[in-house]
Amino acid sequence: MSQHIEEHPIVDYPSRTPVTFSFDGRTLTGLAGQPIAAALLDNGISVFRHTHKTGQPRSLFCGIGQCNDCVVVVNGKPNVRSCTTPLEEGMVIETQHGLGKVGVL
Amino acid sequence: MRTTDLLVIGSGPAGLGAAIEGARCGAKVLLVDENTKAGGQLYKQIHKFFGSGAHYAGTRGFQIADILLQEANDLGVETLLDTRALGRMDNGCVSILHQGKVEAVEAKKVILATGAKENALAFPGWTLPGVMTAGAAQTFSNVHGTLVGKNILMVGSGNVGLIVSYQLMQAGAEVRALVEAAPQITGYLVHAGKIQRAGVPVYTSHTVVEARGTDRVEEAVIAQVDEKFRPIPGTEQTIPVDTILLAVGLNPRTELASMFRCRTTYEGALGGILPVHDAWMRSSDPNVYVCGDLAGVEEANTALEEGRLAGIHAAVSLGYTAPHAQARMEELQESLRSLRSGAHAARRLACKERIMEKGGACHV
């Protein structure tokens, strides 16, 4: 959890329960209720998606659900905004390649 | 179909202000927000606010949000979260997407408080993972407890760039440099002093010209700019960073206002294209109010006061009366004038006066 903030001089973060999830087949741990993007960053993952035409890497950009740059595939469903979707136990998360039509990833 | 007196769209400071005052006057208020938590961007503001006691001076942003939410709750404001306003239908109802279903809301008055979005800045490499808005870094650090990076280049010396730099340092990141294209720091010097005293180099008349890296940012190239903001060849410097944050202004989220056919104007100093409004925050449509950053990007305090003014005026125009409603509206107008006083706010005040002149002309 290299990027996770353990202690902050002003903020008391809510206490969250550790959960297990998978990312591209790897089993990882995160915290229940934190945004998926935060769990990925905490695990040192910075590429969330590759673009449709040229396959360029993309990641977090606006952080508040406006820009849709950070979408990933969650439990088989594409175009899920990782910055606003809370992490849950057992989630199967994958890098999204392209536009992410259901079943045609 | 849901029916209400006031439908408030957006639950940041402006929307909360409108909902609270509308409900206080006795109007039935429905507040909707697309996020799972109300409060808008106040929750990522962990610094103490300036101003007078009436404007929550000395209180941190997230504490102000808690106070306002409690007040709205106590006054019986009905709040639907995770609910997106989609637009106005032909019959005048507003369609909302709530729990996976589209529903119609029939509202006598609609108050738009949709806020603003951060500007992007295009340069070679700007789409690499690790380049993002300063607000994203602020949200992740202050709300979610995750640093988006450890070594940071901040682009922009407005209050967002200065405050977020300081807050990321509080959370344990290193800010390697801050660049500002203008020849001087544009935000408050009290904020700039905090990062300069901590040793962050501030390069004025400089911009970022390239982000380099394979799968994420590994270094940034900055360069000096001339008086027309063009990079000067030969002045490039390379800084090893993993993150480049863009704090280059915000622009109003006018999508819904446009769907409501609100008349717009352009005011660069307030973020760009925005709906005009009169002195009581009515748009060109007397049944649609606009307030907060949507009506011109300023600060949380102005947003809150504009929202309050819109809420009272909308309720009063529906026949609700609260004691001293008229006096309260005048007080709020005076408060807004005082928030826009002083040399730093002169441009904003001039913009607002033009907007209100155009907005007022819609209702004669």
Side-chain angles (χ1 to χ4, degrees):
Chain A
M1 291 220 177
S2 62
Q3 292 180 213
H4 193 69
I5 303 167
E6 299 300 340
E7 253 186 84
H8 193 286
I10 294 163
V11 185
D12 278 325
Y13 299 108
S15 71
R16 299 182 187 277
T17 325
V19 291
T20 305
F21 68 101
S22 78
F23 182 72
D24 289 346
R26 284 163 63 199
T27 303
L28 302 171
T29 52
L31 299 169
Q34 73 175 152
I36 289 171
L40 295 178
L41 292 172
D42 283 349
N43 279 282
I45 295 161
S46 55
V47 178
F48 297 178
R49 175 173 80 89
H50 290 277
T51 58
H52 175 56
K53 288 185 182 165
T54 54
Q56 289 177 30
R58 291 287 189 274
S59 188
L60 188 69
F61 189 76
C62 79
I64 53 170
Q66 292 181 349
C67 78
N68 290 274
D69 222 15
C70 68
V71 296
V72 291
V73 182
V74 178
N75 298 335
K77 186 181 165 195
N79 296 318
V80 175
R81 292 175 290 183
S82 65
C83 68
T84 53
T85 307
L87 183 70
E88 293 170 15
E89 170 70 38
M91 268 184 168
V92 178
I93 302 167
E94 295 162 275
T95 305
Q96 180 164 325
H97 296 276
L99 302 176
K101 284 184 191 163
V102 177
V104 198
L105 302 172
Chain B
M1 160 117 68
R2 292 169 188 267
T3 57
T4 184
D5 290 326
L6 310 186
L7 170 65
V8 181
I9 301 173
S11 71
L16 283 172
I20 287 167
E21 297 302 336
R24 211 197 297 283
C25 292
K28 186 180 173 193
V29 181
L30 177 63
L31 174 64
V32 301
D33 194 290
E34 64 182 336
N35 296 291
T36 50
K37 193 172 179 183
Q41 306 310 313
L42 279 171
Y43 275 103
K44 63 192 192 192
Q45 313 298 339
I46 62 169
H47 58 283
K48 292 179 179 171
F49 279 50
F50 296 155
S52 65
H55 297 129
Y56 302 103
T59 310
R60 301 182 194 276
F62 61 91
Q63 296 164 329
I64 298 173
D66 287 340
I67 295 168
L68 295 174
L69 285 177
Q70 186 62 50
E71 215 176 340
N73 207 37
D74 292 347
L75 287 161
V77 171
E78 188 189 356
T79 306
L80 298 179
L81 298 172
D82 204 2
T83 300
R84 182 168 284 210
L86 301 172
R88 179 144 74 171
M89 300 190 284
D90 287 346
N91 64 1
C93 289
V94 178
S95 57
I96 59 169
L97 179 61
H98 173 63
Q99 294 179 341
K101 282 188 191 152
V102 177
E103 293 182 35
V105 179
E106 189 180 47
K108 294 185 179 123
K109 303 279 179 189
V110 176
I111 299 178
L112 299 175
T114 50
K117 53 190 181 290
E118 291 182 274
N119 292 333
L121 183 70
F123 50 89
W126 79 284
T127 57
L128 271 177
V131 181
M132 69 187 81
T133 67
Q138 189 184 31
T139 302
F140 271 60
S141 171
N142 296 352
V143 180
H144 306 316
T146 292
L147 280 173
V148 296
K150 287 282 174 74
N151 290 292
I152 298 183
L153 171 69
M154 181 65 73
V155 181
S157 73
N159 286 326
V160 172
L162 298 173
I163 290 172
V164 174
S165 292
Y166 185 67
Q167 292 178 350
L168 292 173
M169 290 159 69
Q170 281 181 317
E174 297 270 351
V175 179
R176 296 289 170 197
L178 184 149
V179 290
E180 167 58 57
Q184 70 287 319
I185 290 169
T186 59
Y188 295 146
L189 294 180
V190 61
H191 295 314
K194 283 185 173 179
I195 63 165
Q196 286 180 307
R197 282 195 297 276
V200 174
V202 175
Y203 296 94
T204 52
S205 296
H206 275 71
T207 191
V208 58
V209 291
E210 190 179 352
R212 291 182 185 149
T214 13
D215 259 354
R216 70 157 301 135
V217 173
E218 288 159 29
E219 59 185 32
V221 183
I222 65 167
Q224 199 180 334
V225 295
D226 65 18
E227 68 283 357
K228 289 184 175 163
F229 302 112
R230 293 171 302 204
I232 302 169
T235 63
E236 295 86 358
Q237 294 180 55
T238 303
I239 304 177
V241 292
D242 56 29
T243 303
I244 299 173
L245 298 181
L246 309 175
V248 290
L250 297 102
N251 66 90
R253 291 186 75 187
T254 55
E255 297 89 340
L256 276 177
S258 302
M259 290 175 84
F260 280 81
R261 302 188 190 286
C262 296
R263 197 170 300 166
T264 57
T265 188
Y266 182 88
E267 288 293 352
L270 292 184
I273 295 172
L274 45 82
V276 298
H277 61 78
D278 68 5
W280 297 272
M281 309 315 297
R282 275 186 306 186
S283 74
S284 54
D285 179 336
N287 292 320
V288 179
Y289 291 72
V290 294
C291 51
D293 277 358
L294 165 66
V297 176
E298 294 183 89
E299 292 168 329
N301 281 330
T302 47
L304 180 57
E305 302 291 65
E306 286 191 345
R308 289 188 194 278
L309 184 54
I312 298 175
H313 194 272
V316 167
S317 68
L318 289 176
Y320 292 97
T321 48
H324 318 299
Q326 211 59 42
R328 185 89 177 91
M329 283 194 280
E330 283 165 26
E331 258 172 47
L332 286 163
Q333 288 171 329
E334 183 50 41
S335 163
L336 282 163
R337 266 191 293 274
S338 86
L339 286 168
R340 292 174 185 131
S341 62
H344 226 93
R347 271 180 81 194
R348 286 194 282 131
L349 179 65
C351 291
K352 272 292 180 184
E353 282 173 349
R354 282 193 294 271
I355 290 166
M356 285 193 263
E357 198 185 321
K358 288 174 187 165
C362 300
H363 300 289
V364 283

